[in-house]
Amino acid sequence: MRYCINCCIRLLPNDLHRLCFRCRGPNHNNQKCPVCKGENKVPLYTDSKQMKLLAVWEVRTDHRESWNGFFCLRKGKLCSLVFGLIIMTLVMASYVLTGAKHGLLLIPSPFHYGAFTSNPSLMDNESLSDMKDHYQPSKMNISYIKDYPSIKLIIDTITSKIEFVTRQRPDLEELRKQEPHMFSVIPNKFLPNSKNPCWYEEYRGNTTTDPYATNSYALYSKRFRTIFDYLRKVFWNHLYHYKDKHYRLRCLPHFYIIGQPKCGTTDLYDRLRLHPDVRFSAIKEPHWWTRKRFGIIRLRDGFHDRYPVEDYLDLFDLAAHQIQGVLQSEAAKERGKMNSIIIGEASASTMWDNNAWIFLYDNSTDGEPPFLIQDFIHAFQPNAKLIIMLRDPVERLYSDYLYFVSANKSAEDFHEKVAESLQLFENCVLDYSLRACVYNNTLNNAMPVRLQVGLYVVYLLDWLTVFDKDQILVLRLEDHASNVKYTMHMVFQFLELGPLSEKQEALLTKNPASNTRRPEDRSLGPMLPTTKAILRDFYRPFNTKLAQVLFDDAFLWKRT
């Protein structure tokens, strides 16, 4: 029996072990072999019994023999594999580094779509470059350009289904049946000597009673507990005593900033607060009319206990205390003088969010809500004033995406979400009316981006079915950003507020913008040009109708 001394492979008689350079058959001579020459190895031979591999001994007469195994192909393959992996890693690293620099990657970087110029003085999560398109020409992946024809067909289908139909306004008795408790709390007449809608309500508690013990805003939100702690301390001092009874002044807002989200409502709210005759609710956005009165904290979390109307009225107690002080002091000195303080509320969901109706109202027609938020507001406050701040719906949607999406944000991801949302909206309008799709909770929750919020004219027309046009002031964020002073004077005139002092006027215009776009979102740059073109096509017919309703071509947003 014979074995190879280099790799311990059993050899058959007269076999040539071709896997090893050092074994050339029975006549192999180490001294004559050019490969093995001079290495002087001594093989061990055994009898015919089987030999274990570990029993092979090798006598080395030269230290260089430690490298002999390298010439064995069995070990050579392993070395080749390692060497190949190293080369592949170096090639890939070189590709990534050079490709990212020159724009050659198969998957393009989101930073390839132009430099974004920032300016912290703009409104509502935006920079000045967003308003004026001041960004560099963009590079675009060809795959997104190819998307355009197919998505354009979807938009054409949606456009063909657009029909603006006037809704049927419900009568007062129907509203009473839906909200009997609300109608039992809010009177149909208010104090005649107050510009703001207020009334006195009998308070039956005693000095040890906590009037805010069950307030849902205080119970479910730690942020507002400090406010309610203060209200508890001063509550008894602001009660009105008459004929052994105690009365508290209750108030509703005189005006509402009803929309839209990501359109500068926060900045408008902050600047309006500078006027000495304007007060707001203790919370900027109570979302009571649209969500909390139905028990909605977050719609995806289901329903909680409903917030009663008393909880909502509690939010205006701070302002009511000041109005009561004015009424009592001036009533003693100059009877009949009006209170000029007015209260505002700024929930940006009021104009558009009617998602809860499908869970509460059964008598719907063709999927359309039988009752809307404005029906109830008008039932209690037919003279209420409404302020709406709008912006280019294309830019609004991108700002909305950047603000609410928490991870993996990019221009490409936004493009994909827009395409998916358009497909879902198309599926809806093929079977239902435009209004039914706009107010469809299931659809709105399924769409990755909130396309429907930018359909301003659909909501505005529904508000105009219950409120007169002179009760609604519609502004553009673009105008507000370019001339804050002019916009605010329009608002003051609309609300019939007195002029400001020079100092107040200076604060009004010099204060920085509120709620601007976050720095990490600015670095993502603008949306893809193809995405913008798609959204322009989608919103165009709605903007055209809006400009016709308002008699103002600025609402076409052609310049942006």
Side-chain angles (χ1 to χ4, degrees):
M1 187 89 46
R2 194 162 53 84
Y3 289 84
C4 170
I5 64 173
N6 290 303
C7 51
C8 303
I9 296 177
R10 178 178 176 177
L11 301 179
L12 297 175
N14 302 320
D15 184 25
L16 294 179
H17 176 38
R18 302 185 184 278
L19 296 179
C20 183
F21 288 108
R22 301 190 180 280
C23 300
R24 304 294 183 182
N27 297 323
H28 180 265
N29 188 323
N30 283 353
Q31 298 298 326
K32 295 181 179 180
C33 177
V35 177
C36 307
K37 186 176 181 179
E39 296 191 3
N40 194 22
K41 290 189 177 182
V42 182
L44 292 180
Y45 294 92
T46 65
D47 57 13
S48 58
K49 294 182 180 180
Q50 184 176 0
M51 178 181 178
K52 294 183 180 180
L53 296 180
L54 295 178
V56 177
W57 286 24
E58 178 178 348
V59 178
R60 302 176 185 268
T61 59
D62 191 339
H63 291 291
R64 290 178 299 171
E65 185 60 23
S66 62
W67 291 93
N68 289 342
F70 179 78
F71 295 98
C72 178
L73 284 179
R74 187 176 183 184
K75 296 181 180 179
K77 287 182 178 180
L78 179 61
C79 294
S80 298
L81 178 61
V82 173
F83 182 76
L85 290 175
I86 293 173
I87 295 299
M88 185 181 298
T89 302
L90 292 174
V91 171
M92 291 181 65
S94 175
Y95 168 74
V96 171
L97 293 174
T98 59
K101 181 178 180 181
H102 299 291
L104 301 175
L105 293 180
L106 295 178
I107 302 176
S109 167
F111 301 101
H112 286 174
Y113 296 92
F116 193 85
T117 306
S118 63
N119 185 327
S121 67
L122 204 69
M123 314 294 111
D124 201 27
N125 298 326
E126 285 307 304
S127 75
L128 192 58
S129 59
D130 252 5
M131 296 298 167
K132 299 181 178 179
D133 280 351
H134 284 179
Y135 54 83
Q136 297 175 358
S138 302
K139 300 178 182 179
M140 178 177 293
N141 190 309
I142 190 67
S143 63
Y144 294 108
I145 299 176
K146 291 179 179 178
D147 283 347
Y148 184 79
S150 59
I151 298 178
K152 185 64 167 64
L153 292 176
I154 294 174
I155 295 173
D156 290 343
T157 301
I158 295 172
T159 302
S160 67
K161 295 293 182 178
I162 294 176
E163 187 177 2
F164 300 103
V165 180
T166 304
R167 68 182 287 262
Q168 186 66 36
R169 177 178 166 181
D171 60 43
L172 189 60
E173 288 306 313
E174 290 179 297
L175 298 175
R176 289 182 183 274
K177 291 178 183 178
Q178 297 299 325
E179 297 286 353
H181 177 69
M182 200 188 311
F183 279 90
S184 69
V185 172
I186 302 176
N188 55 11
K189 291 184 179 181
F190 304 117
L191 294 176
N193 57 340
S194 175
K195 183 178 178 180
N196 198 84
C198 297
W199 68 97
Y200 279 107
E201 173 187 279
E202 184 179 356
Y203 180 71
R204 294 183 173 86
N206 54 46
T207 54
T208 61
T209 304
D210 181 2
Y212 305 106
T214 60
N215 187 286
S216 300
Y217 286 100
L219 293 174
Y220 294 124
S221 179
K222 295 180 180 179
R223 292 186 301 158
F224 309 131
R225 290 177 185 173
T226 303
I227 298 173
F228 285 103
D229 286 342
Y230 172 77
L231 287 172
R232 289 185 184 95
K233 294 177 182 179
V234 301
F235 178 79
W236 194 259
N237 297 331
H238 291 279
L239 290 179
Y240 177 63
H241 308 281
Y242 181 73
K243 293 184 177 179
D244 298 328
K245 292 183 179 180
H246 305 293
Y247 298 88
R248 64 188 296 189
L249 188 67
R250 288 293 207 177
C251 297
L252 282 169
H254 173 70
F255 69 95
Y256 296 84
I257 301 175
I258 63 175
Q260 289 287 62
K262 316 321 300 169
C263 289
T265 56
T266 299
D267 189 79
L268 179 62
Y269 162 83
D270 285 336
R271 296 184 194 278
L272 263 173
R273 293 172 63 190
L274 297 175
H275 197 286
D277 289 338
V278 174
R279 303 292 185 274
F280 276 95
S281 53
I283 304 167
K284 174 189 175 280
E285 297 189 80
H287 297 295
W288 184 80
W289 289 102
T290 55
R291 299 167 188 173
K292 300 300 193 296
R293 71 185 178 103
F294 302 116
I296 298 173
I297 308 299
R298 295 180 183 86
L299 198 58
R300 63 177 178 270
D301 297 336
F303 288 85
H304 299 260
D305 293 335
R306 298 181 68 170
Y307 287 31
V309 65
E310 290 88 348
D311 290 1
Y312 180 59
L313 296 175
D314 286 347
L315 300 179
F316 306 105
D317 276 3
L318 281 173
H321 293 167
Q322 297 181 46
I323 292 176
Q324 183 179 0
V326 172
L327 291 175
Q328 290 179 346
S329 61
E330 292 188 355
K333 297 178 182 179
E334 190 176 345
R335 188 170 299 275
K337 186 175 180 179
M338 287 281 292
N339 158 62
S340 60
I341 295 177
I342 59 173
I343 304 174
E345 200 252 71
S347 298
S349 64
T350 307
M351 181 178 181
W352 64 275
D353 191 351
N354 281 275
N355 285 330
W357 76 267
I358 198 170
F359 302 105
L360 301 166
Y361 307 134
D362 297 327
N363 55 333
S364 61
T365 304
D366 298 327
E368 295 186 10
F371 310 104
L372 296 177
I373 302 304
Q374 52 265 42
D375 298 328
F376 292 97
I377 294 179
H378 184 269
F380 300 113
Q381 299 176 257
N383 298 319
K385 296 205 170 188
L386 312 168
I387 301 175
I388 303 171
M389 181 80 88
L390 304 178
R391 71 184 294 188
D392 181 355
V394 176
E395 298 297 338
R396 192 220 70 81
L397 186 65
Y398 191 49
S399 178
D400 198 68
Y401 162 81
L402 293 177
Y403 187 81
F404 288 105
V405 174
S406 58
N408 301 321
K409 290 183 284 191
S410 69
E412 294 84 357
D413 180 66
F414 177 65
H415 178 91
E416 293 171 2
K417 285 178 166 55
V418 167
E420 182 181 349
S421 299
L422 285 170
Q423 290 175 334
L424 291 171
F425 197 78
E426 178 200 27
N427 293 337
C428 183
V429 296
L430 287 174
D431 297 323
Y432 298 96
S433 68
L434 176 61
R435 181 178 292 108
C437 293
V438 167
Y439 293 123
N440 187 305
N441 171 68
T442 304
L443 172 65
N444 293 340
N445 284 336
M447 289 195 295
V449 290
R450 301 193 296 181
L451 283 174
Q452 80 282 5
V453 178
L455 306 180
Y456 307 139
V457 70
V458 178
Y459 305 111
L460 180 60
L461 289 173
D462 284 348
W463 280 84
L464 288 172
T465 60
V466 291
F467 285 97
D468 293 335
K469 198 170 183 179
D470 60 1
Q471 292 179 259
I472 304 177
L473 175 64
V474 183
L475 305 169
R476 295 194 330 144
L477 174 60
E478 293 83 359
D479 300 328
H480 183 63
S482 62
N483 194 338
V484 172
K485 185 176 180 180
Y486 177 75
T487 303
M488 296 309 301
H489 282 192
M490 286 182 62
V491 175
F492 294 155
Q493 184 177 1
F494 175 70
L495 297 176
E496 299 177 344
L497 294 169
L500 295 176
S501 65
E502 290 184 6
K503 184 177 180 180
Q504 292 166 338
E505 192 84 38
L507 286 174
L508 183 71
T509 55
K510 290 182 179 179
N511 277 4
S514 303
N515 203 15
T516 55
R517 179 176 286 184
R518 295 170 294 206
E520 60 269 27
D521 291 337
R522 293 178 186 173
S523 64
L524 296 177
M527 71 184 82
L528 305 181
T530 295
T531 315
K532 178 173 282 191
I534 289 169
L535 290 173
R536 285 265 180 267
D537 291 341
F538 172 68
Y539 285 118
R540 184 175 293 111
F542 299 98
N543 293 344
T544 300
K545 182 66 175 178
L546 179 65
Q548 293 172 357
V549 172
L550 298 175
F551 300 101
D552 189 348
D553 286 345
F555 289 94
L556 294 172
W557 283 285
K558 287 184 176 180
R559 183 179 61 82
T560 56

